[in-house]
Amino acid sequence: MDIAEMSEKILNGDRRALARAITLVESGREDHRALATALLGKLAKSGREALRIGLSGTPGVGKSTFIESFGMMLVAQGLRVAVLAVDPSSARTGGSILGDKTRMEHLSREKAAFIRPSPSQTNLGGVARRTREAVALCEAAGFDVVLIETVGVGQSETVVAQMSDLFVLLLAPAGGDELQGVKRGIMEMADIILVNKADGDLKSAAIRTCADYSGALRLLRKRPQDPQGFPKAQMVSALDETGLAQAWEEMQILTGWRREHGHWEATRAEQARYWFAQDVRQALLARLETSWAKDRMKALSDQVATGEASPAAAAQDMLKGLGVAG
Ligand code: GDP
């Protein structure tokens, strides 16, 4: 399949072409990269836009269950839903937290849904770029909602928040003192906190947890891109499928408001700037990973160690060799 054909098929919503295109953007081969860039350039003109929802939560909090029931609800409303993942564990070890088990059994069988596990790459930056490109492909393929899932274990939330229109944090009911366990930075990123498992024996703990987080969110500075009352916490049960419609409504209220007030476009523009800068940084760092660069670093570093060259002079030498010295 050449790029023109692939592009046309994607625009027609062909899932196989979409899957192949994602494999193409995930490839590390240089010729593939050139094709991927050409394809993304072609598709960028489609002007299609999905609602990109970032979803984070620690393992076991109910992300798969939530995506399954939330996704099914959206599909029942006639929406097309894509699910992508950013899995930092796959970046480190090649294994993954998010991809191994059979997940989202019903959703994965839906024609209106598309589920893709995290690319296994050697670094989070690589996973981030490929996921971001996969999001663009899903948008061109006409998906209405793209859910980008990540495990709440640190840096990957920032990555996901930077490619989402809306960031949702999924929490489980807990004792009040566990509130401290959620890092402030992650709380600040969240537009909506969903306290999951608000059912059965866990219901009363969920009510308490939700109240605690509502209180904590009120203490955070109100952000200019938010209407009154946001960010907010509410309860859901992914298992009993309760609170999901309300969560969807809140998401629509928030994004509707942001669109009306120009924040939607402004945020996307900021994100584009961020990813441009990241790509430049990453490309420069990648230059240090070639065998020539590694050997040269070693040789210069030996000279620095013996005092033959100063760190500054050696650094200049290195940069000249890389073709990036001023
Ligand atoms: P993930 O690791 O975040 O993807 O979590 P899973 O979706 O795999 O769920 C972890 C466990 O929590 C499973 O045993 C689920 O059945 C359970 N679980 C998920 N959502 C709910 C819920 O709303 N209520 C209850 N009671 N259990 C849930």
Side-chain angles (χ1 to χ4, degrees), residues 37-51:
T37 306
L39 178 67
L40 288 161
K42 232 172 151 48
L43 291 172
K45 297 186 189 84
S46 80
R48 288 182 180 163
E49 220 173 50
L51 172 60

Side-chain angles (χ1 to χ4, degrees), residues 15 22 42-43 60 79 93 99 107 156 161 186 198 204-205 226 250 273 305 310:
R15 296 150 50 106
I22 294 180
K42 232 172 151 48
L43 291 172
L79 297 170
T93 63
L107 192 63
S156 63
I186 297 171
S204 54
D226 288 344
E250 300 289 1
R273 283 182 199 277
S310 73

Side-chain angles (χ1 to χ4, degrees), residues 49-267:
E49 220 173 50
L51 172 60
R52 308 171 183 170
I53 304 173
L55 178 75
S56 175
T58 47
V61 73
K63 290 181 298 302
S64 320
T65 316
F66 176 80
I67 292 171
E68 167 97 334
S69 39
F70 188 69
M72 289 300 283
M73 180 191 75
L74 298 181
V75 166
Q77 293 182 16
L79 297 170
R80 298 180 68 211
V81 181
V83 181
L84 305 170
V86 171
D87 188 343
S89 64
S90 77
R92 274 197 300 272
T93 63
S96 86
I97 302 178
L98 294 174
D100 289 346
K101 45 194 170 161
T102 312
R103 308 166 78 236
M104 305 152 209
E105 214 189 312
H106 294 105
L107 192 63
S108 60
R109 282 198 230 112
E110 285 292 331
K111 272 207 175 62
F114 178 86
I115 299 175
R116 181 87 177 191
S118 179
S120 41
Q121 296 286 332
T122 49
N123 65 64
L124 187 57
V127 175
R129 189 178 77 196
R130 281 144 178 101
T131 308
R132 182 165 43 92
E133 291 174 347
V135 170
L137 293 171
C138 291
E139 289 195 311
F143 284 91
D144 302 293
V145 176
V146 180
L147 280 162
I148 311 152
E149 175 192 13
T150 194
V151 191
V153 288
Q155 264 234 299
S156 63
E157 278 97 351
T158 313
V159 162
V160 170
Q162 285 288 356
M163 58 177 90
S164 305
D165 302 310
L166 199 72
F167 191 75
V168 176
L169 178 62
L170 207 60
L171 295 172
D177 46 336
E178 277 190 45
L179 189 107
Q180 316 302 326
V182 176
K183 293 193 193 76
R184 193 188 159 90
I186 297 171
M187 287 269 291
E188 279 172 348
M189 262 185 253
D191 295 306
I192 297 178
I193 288 180
L194 296 177
V195 180
N196 189 33
K197 308 194 184 183
D199 52 47
D201 292 347
L202 292 167
K203 181 93 183 236
S204 54
I207 293 171
R208 265 199 319 276
T209 305
C210 191
D212 286 346
Y213 281 97
S214 295
L217 287 175
R218 272 195 294 275
L219 295 178
L220 295 177
R221 191 170 55 89
K222 185 179 171 307
R223 300 174 297 190
Q225 70 269 32
D226 288 344
Q228 202 57 41
F230 285 92
K232 66 168 63 173
Q234 68 151 102
M235 288 184 284
V236 292
S237 165
L239 208 60
D240 287 357
E241 300 174 20
T242 54
L244 302 178
Q246 201 196 334
W248 176 232
E249 202 180 306
E250 300 289 1
M251 291 178 201
Q252 285 174 300
I253 291 171
L254 183 56
T255 51
W257 193 91
R258 285 181 179 169
R259 270 185 194 281
E260 247 170 63
H261 290 80
H263 296 304
W264 172 285
E265 277 183 10
T267 303

